[in-house]
C-alpha cells in the first residue's frame, strides 16, 4: 500500500478523522431518537443480566463463582462486546449490502471496504452498551474484593481489549461468510451471539464440549471468564487453566487473522459470482 | 498494450452459474452473459455502449471496474488488471451505477463531497476548486442542502455524476445514467460530460438501452445483443446501416389540409379524423423542420418523438450484415 499512498497528501489518519467526523455529524441529526435508543440499549443489557441472575440463583453450580463474581464476568464480557459492536457492529450485515446491490458502490471507491463499513455505518447508539460496560465492569471489580497486584491490574485492563478483538473477529468473520453463502445471516451470526452468551457466563458452568469449542475454536471464553478466574484465583476445569486468561489479546489477534481470511474470501467470492 | 488504450478487452467473456430448484433436484445452468468481446477504447473517446435489457452491458461494466472476475479472456483498463488492482483503478476511474446510489441517503450533497475527497485523500486545495466547478457545471446550487433521499431523480443523478468526477478520473463509466431522467437533466448531463471531455480529455463510456440518450454525446456506438458484439462504428455508420428513422406523433387542433413535407419525411398514417399524424423521418432531417412544415398548415397541440428502439436497430443490423 506504500505505493498507493505516494501521491496522496492526505494521511490515512486525516482521512479517518474526516470520515468519523462526518459520520458523527450525520448521526447527530437524529440526536433525540438516538439518546432514547441509547437508554433502551442500556436498559436491555441490565434486563439481560437480571435474566441471567435469576437463572443462576436457581442453578446448582455457577462454575465455582459467587453471584457478584458472575456479575463481574458478565460485565467484563459485555464491555469487550460493546467496543467490538461499536466499531464493527455493521460488519455482519454484508448480506443486506449484497442483496440491495450497495456493495458495488462501495467497491468502486479507493478506501477499503472494511474501513468504509466501520466508519460510514457507525451507530452512535451503540455507545449505550459501552457506557454500561464502563460503569458495570469497574464497579464489579471493586465489589468482589480483590487483593490487587500490578499483574492483576494489567490483566483487568487487557481482558476487555482482548474481548473486543475476539468479538470484532466474530462480526467480521460472519460478514465474510455472508458474502459467500447469501441467506445465511442467522447461521453466520450464531457464533457471534452464541459466543457473546457463552463469554458472559462462568465457563465452568458450561457443558464441556461447548466450553472447549468456545475456548479453542471460537475463543469467547478468553474475553472474561478465564482472566477473571485468574484474577479471582478461582479454579477452572482441567484443560482450560485460568492462566490462559493472559492469552486473550493473542487469541483475539489470531481470531482477527482468521476473520481477515474469511473477509477476503467473501470479497473474492462476491467478485467471482457477480452478486 | 498501446499507451493510449484506455480500455482493452480481448475475448472478454462472462458466464453466470445459476442454481435452480430445491436442495434435492438442483440444476446448474450456465448463463453466458458476455461472449468474446473485443473492445479497444482510446483516450478521449466517448463511446455509447448500447444494448437491450439483459444484453450484458452491466456485466461488461462490472468487469471493467474490477468488481466482477471475467470467465475467459483478458481486460486492461488504464493498464490495470481490474480485479486484482481494483483499488488502484478506482482512483483513476469514476463509475456511476444509474440504479444504485453511491451517495449517502441521509446527507445533503454539500456534506457528501468532503467524505469522498477524504476517501480519495485529496487535500482541500485540490478538491474544493474542482467541486465548485462541478457545482456550477452540473447546476447543483439549488439543492446542495437537501438530504439526498429528498432529491428528484434528475437532481440525484447529477449529484452522482459530480461524485464520480470529483477526483478528476481519466475514464468515466456510466451504467444507464439516463433511465427515468427528465429532458432537462439529460441535457445537463450530456453537456457537462461533453465539456469534461473537451477540457480534460476524459474518456467516456456510457451504457444505455435508448439510442437517443447518447447520439449527441458519443461519436462511437458499440451495440451488444445477447452478450455478443453486434455493431461497432460511428453514429453515421449506424444510421446508414439501419436507416435509424425516428417517429413523430403530432396532435392537431384542425386537420392539416394540403400538408407539404420536407424530403426524408414520410406520413405513415393519420388517426382521429386527421387530428393525429404519425410521421417517420430520416437522420438528416431535424424535428424542428418536421414541426414547422406541419405548423404551416395547422395549429399543433402536442407532439412526441420516438427514437428507433434498440431491438429494431439490431434486427436491421442482422438483416443487412
Ligand atoms: N448475478 C447474476 N447471476 C445470474 N445471472 C445474471 C447475473 N447478473 C446478470 N445476469 C444475467 O446476465 C445477462 C446480462 O445481464 P446484464 O449484464 O445485467 O445486462 P444489461 O445490463 O445489459 O441489462 C442477463 O441475462 C442477466 O439475467
Ligand atoms: Mg444493466
Amino acid at each position: 500500500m506504500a505505493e498507493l499512498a505516494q501521491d496522496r497528501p492526505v494521511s490515512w489518519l486525516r482521512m479517518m478523522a474526516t470520515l468519523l467526523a462526518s459520520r458523527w455529524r450525520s448521526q447527530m441529526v437524529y440526536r433525540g431518537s438516538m439518546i432514547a435508543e441509547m437508554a433502551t440499549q442500556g436498559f436491555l443489557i441490565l434486563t439481560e443480566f437480571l435474566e441471567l441472575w435469576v437463572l443462576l440463583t436457581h442453578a446448582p453450580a455457577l462454575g465455582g463463582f459467587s453471584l457478584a463474581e458472575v456479575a463481574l464476568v458478565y460485565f467484563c464480557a459485555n464491555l469487550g462486546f460493546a467496543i467490538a459492536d461499536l466499531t464493527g457492529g455493521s460488519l455482519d450485515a454484508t448480506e443486506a449490502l449484497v442483496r440491495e446491490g450497495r456493495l458495488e458502490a462501495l467497491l468502486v471507491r479507493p478506501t477499503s471496504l472494511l474501513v468504509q463499513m466501520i466508519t460510514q455505518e457507525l451507530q452512535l447508539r451503540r455507545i449505550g452498551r459501552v457506557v454500561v460496560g464502563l460503569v458495570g465492569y469497574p464497579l464489579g471489580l471493586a465489589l468482589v474484593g480483590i487483593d490487587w497486584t500490578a499483574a492483576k491490574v494489567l490483566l483487568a485492563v487487557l481482558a476487555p481489549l482482548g474481548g473486543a478483538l475476539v468479538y470484532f473477529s466474530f462480526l467480521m468473520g460472519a460478514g465474510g461468510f455472508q458474502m459467500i453463502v447469501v441467506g445465511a445471516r442467522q447461521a453466520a451470526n450464531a457464533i457471534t451471539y452464541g459466543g457473546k452468551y457463552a463469554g458472559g457466563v462462568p465457563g465452568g458452568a458450561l457443558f464441556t464440549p461447548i466450553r472447549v469449542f468456545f475456548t479453542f475454536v471460537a475463543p469467547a471464553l478468553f474475553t472474561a471468564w478465564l482472566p477473571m478466574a485468574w484474577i479471582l484465583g478461582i479454579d477452572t476445569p482441567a484443560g482450560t487453566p485460568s492462566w490462559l486468561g493472559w492469552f486473550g489479546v493473542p487469541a483475539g489477534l489470531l481470531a482477527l487473522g482468521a476473520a481477515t481470511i474469511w473477509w477476503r474470501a467473501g470479497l473474492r467470492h462476491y467478485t467471482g459470482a457477480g452478486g | 498494450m498501446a499507451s493510449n488504450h484506455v480500455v482493452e478487452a480481448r475475448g472478454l467473456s462472462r458466464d453466470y452459474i445459476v442454481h435452480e430448484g430445491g436442495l434435492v433436484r438442483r440444476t446448474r445452468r450456465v448463463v453466458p452473459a458476455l461472449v468474446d468481446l473485443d473492445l479497444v477504447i482510446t483516450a478521449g473517446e466517448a463511446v455509447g455502449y448500447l444494448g437491450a435489457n439483459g444484453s450484458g452491458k452491466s456485466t461488461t461494466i462490472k468487469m471493467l471496474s474490477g468488481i466482477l472476475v471475467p470467465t475467459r479472456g483478458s481486460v486492461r483498463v488504464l493498464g490495470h488488471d481490474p480485479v486484482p488492482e481494483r483499488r488502484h483503478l478506482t482512483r483513476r476511474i469514476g463509475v456511476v451505477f444509474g440504479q444504485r446510489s453511491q451517495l449517502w441517503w441521509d446527507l445533503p450533497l454539500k456534506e457528501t463531497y468532503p467524505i469522498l475527497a477524504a476517501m480519495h485523500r485529496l487535500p482541500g486545495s485540490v478538491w474544493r476548486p474542482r467541486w465548485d466547478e462541478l457545482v456550477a457545471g452540473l447546476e447543483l446550487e439549488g439543492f446542495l442542502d437537501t438530504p439526498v433521499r429528498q432529491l428528484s431523480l434528475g437532481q440525484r443523478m447529477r449529484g452522482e455524476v459530480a461524485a464520480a468526477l470529483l477526483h478528476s478520473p481519466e475514464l468515466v463509466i456510466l451504467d444507464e445514467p439516463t433511465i427515468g431522467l427528465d429532458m432537462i437533466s439529460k441535457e445537463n448531463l450530456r453537456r457537462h460530460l461533453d465539456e469534461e471531455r473537451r477540457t480534460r480529455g476524459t474518456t467516456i463510456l456510457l451504457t444505455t438501452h435508448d439510442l437517443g440518450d447518447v447520439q449527441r454525446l458519443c461519436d462511437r456506438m458499440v451495440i451488444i445483443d445477447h452478450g455478443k458484439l453486434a455493431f461497432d462504428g460511428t453514429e453515421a455508420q449506424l444510421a446508414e446501416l439501419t436507416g435509424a428513422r425516428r417517429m413523430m406523433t403530432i396532435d392537431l387542433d384542425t386537420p392539416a389540409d394540403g400538408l407539404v413535407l420536407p424530403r426524408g419525411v414520410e406520413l405513415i398514417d393519420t388517426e382521429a379524423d386527421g387530428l393525429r399524424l404519425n410521421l417517420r423521418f430520416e437522420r438528416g432531417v431535424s424535428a424542428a423542420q418536421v414541426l414547422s412544415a406541419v405548423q404551416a398548415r395547422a395549429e399543433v397541440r402536442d407532439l412526441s418523438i420516438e427514437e428507433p428502439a434498440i431491438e429494431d436497430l439490431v434486427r436491421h443490423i442482422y438483416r443487412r450484415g
Side-chain angles (χ1 to χ4, degrees):
Chain A
M1 289 294 103
E3 195 195 330
L4 200 65
Q6 231 168 47
D7 56 331
R8 299 189 159 189
V10 175
S11 71
W12 188 83
L13 281 178
R14 274 274 306 280
M15 175 189 81
M16 288 301 273
T18 309
L19 295 184
L20 288 171
S22 76
R23 182 63 187 168
W24 173 273
R25 276 199 306 279
S26 73
Q27 290 263 291
M28 283 323 241
V29 173
Y30 305 105
R31 209 174 301 130
S33 68
M34 201 168 60
I35 290 169
E37 252 191 276
M38 254 190 224
T40 314
Q41 283 251 327
F43 181 72
L44 274 179
I45 297 165
L46 291 176
T47 321
E48 229 173 82
F49 174 68
L50 278 180
E51 234 173 57
L52 183 74
W53 185 281
V54 170
L55 202 74
L56 289 180
T57 46
H58 294 91
L62 306 181
F65 280 61
S66 74
L67 281 178
E69 287 160 353
V70 169
L72 175 63
V73 169
Y74 179 79
F75 282 109
C76 176
N78 240 280
L79 178 56
F81 185 84
I83 298 169
D85 193 43
L86 178 64
T87 50
S90 61
L91 295 183
D92 69 346
T94 51
E95 187 183 295
L97 284 184
V98 172
R99 218 183 23 233
E100 294 159 19
R102 278 158 61 210
L103 195 51
E104 285 156 15
L106 302 187
L107 291 177
V108 296
R109 296 187 188 139
T111 308
S112 81
L113 180 63
L114 195 66
V115 168
Q116 288 191 60
M117 288 184 73
I118 290 173
T119 59
Q120 299 310 295
E121 305 277 321
L122 186 89
Q123 303 288 337
L124 284 180
R125 64 183 155 79
R126 292 186 175 132
I127 289 179
R129 208 176 247 285
V130 179
V131 171
V132 171
L134 283 177
V135 174
Y137 179 52
L139 206 66
L141 285 172
L143 291 182
V144 290
I146 297 168
D147 281 333
W148 287 104
T149 62
K152 285 182 185 176
V153 172
L154 179 64
L155 187 56
V157 172
L158 284 177
L161 297 181
L165 280 174
V166 167
Y167 291 122
F168 185 92
S169 309
F170 288 178
L171 291 165
M172 189 174 159
F177 187 74
Q178 287 171 30
M179 285 189 265
I180 299 173
V181 191
V182 174
R185 176 152 192 199
Q186 298 294 335
N189 295 354
I191 298 230
T192 312
Y193 293 99
K196 182 189 155 217
Y197 177 78
V201 299
L206 293 173
F207 183 45
T208 307
I210 292 180
R211 185 173 68 242
V212 170
F213 177 81
F214 280 116
T215 306
F216 298 107
V217 182
L221 294 179
F222 285 88
T223 67
W225 171 58
L226 289 168
M228 291 310 111
W230 190 87
I231 290 174
L232 298 167
I234 297 174
D235 283 341
T236 52
T240 47
S242 65
W243 53 259
L244 278 177
W246 278 97
F247 291 86
V249 171
L253 289 175
L254 264 179
L256 196 59
T260 306
I261 291 171
W262 270 108
W263 184 259
R264 295 231 172 108
L267 256 185
R268 213 167 29 243
H269 177 85
Y270 177 80
T271 55
Chain B
M1 185 193 103
S3 60
N4 67 339
H5 286 186
V6 171
V7 172
E8 189 171 279
R10 301 276 174 223
L12 186 63
S13 308
R14 174 69 207 201
D15 297 336
Y16 290 108
I17 311 293
V18 182
H19 294 281
E20 278 157 353
L23 277 176
V24 186
R25 226 173 273 138
R26 222 160 124 89
T27 56
R28 186 172 171 280
R29 196 160 55 88
V30 177
V31 180
L34 191 70
V35 184
D36 280 336
L37 177 74
D38 290 323
L39 181 68
V40 172
I41 298 175
T42 53
E45 273 192 291
V47 178
Y49 195 62
L50 291 127
N53 276 329
S55 57
K57 302 182 298 293
S58 297
T59 300
T60 311
I61 297 309
K62 287 183 199 172
M63 287 195 283
L64 296 185
S65 42
I67 51 184
L68 184 63
V69 180
T71 308
R72 288 176 303 281
S74 71
V75 60
R76 292 249 139 198
V77 177
L78 293 162
H80 295 286
D81 189 350
V83 173
E85 297 170 53
R86 174 174 53 83
R87 283 174 59 197
H88 280 271
L89 189 60
T90 55
R91 300 183 51 208
R92 299 180 62 191
I93 66 174
V95 186
V96 175
F97 295 111
Q99 320 298 59
R100 343 203 120 159
S101 181
Q102 299 183 67
L103 303 171
W104 284 260
W105 224 229
D106 291 327
L107 294 185
L109 288 177
K110 199 177 67 185
E111 299 197 21
T112 301
Y113 299 109
I115 305 177
L116 286 168
M119 287 190 181
H120 280 279
R121 313 257 202 108
L122 299 173
S125 59
V126 171
W127 73 264
R128 275 178 216 284
R130 172 68 171 157
W131 183 48
D132 292 340
E133 195 181 301
L134 292 169
V135 168
L138 287 157
E139 293 166 31
L140 308 177
E141 303 92 351
F143 48 89
L144 280 176
D145 293 306
T146 314
V148 167
R149 74 185 119 76
Q150 290 169 16
L151 297 180
S152 74
L153 184 61
Q155 292 172 331
R156 203 201 79 207
M157 195 52 65
R158 275 137 73 188
E160 302 271 359
V161 171
L165 291 175
L166 185 67
H167 56 291
S168 307
E170 294 154 70
L171 167 67
V172 188
I173 300 175
L174 306 105
D175 193 11
E176 309 235 26
T178 53
I179 288 186
L181 286 202
D182 54 286
M183 288 311 291
I184 294 176
S185 292
K186 271 189 196 178
E187 178 56 22
N188 176 298
L189 275 189
R190 191 199 63 74
R191 208 183 46 232
H192 190 78
L193 289 171
D194 205 37
E195 172 146 346
E196 278 284 316
R197 186 178 162 219
R198 272 187 293 103
T199 55
R200 295 176 174 267
T202 311
T203 309
I204 293 167
L205 175 61
L206 191 155
T207 86
T208 179
H209 62 264
D210 190 346
L211 180 64
D213 291 350
V214 286
Q215 270 164 353
R216 288 195 297 142
L217 174 64
C218 302
D219 35 32
R220 181 174 162 202
M221 305 283 164
V222 174
I223 300 183
I224 50 165
D225 176 57
H226 293 98
K228 295 197 180 90
L229 189 76
F231 175 86
D232 184 353
T234 63
E235 221 255 287
Q237 287 168 330
L238 180 64
E240 197 187 322
L241 192 62
T242 60
R245 286 171 297 185
R246 287 185 286 177
M247 297 282 304
M248 187 187 284
T249 300
I250 301 181
D251 287 337
L252 305 169
D253 274 338
T254 53
D257 296 323
L259 181 63
V260 183
L261 291 167
R263 265 185 66 137
V265 185
E266 181 192 347
L267 179 66
I268 301 170
D269 61 6
T270 62
E271 292 171 53
D273 296 325
L275 290 181
R276 167 170 285 182
L277 311 178
N278 290 314
L279 301 147
R280 184 154 56 200
F281 58 109
E282 288 173 2
R283 276 275 151 248
V285 184
S286 76
Q289 281 173 289
V290 182
L291 186 61
S292 66
V294 175
Q295 266 174 331
R297 292 289 160 192
E299 200 67 31
V300 171
R301 192 133 50 91
D302 201 2
L303 71 88
S304 67
I305 300 175
E306 218 176 293
E307 295 293 337
I310 195 77
E311 289 87 345
D312 294 335
L313 294 184
V314 169
R315 219 172 296 128
H316 264 99
I317 291 167
Y318 288 150
R319 207 177 295 153
R320 297 277 298 270

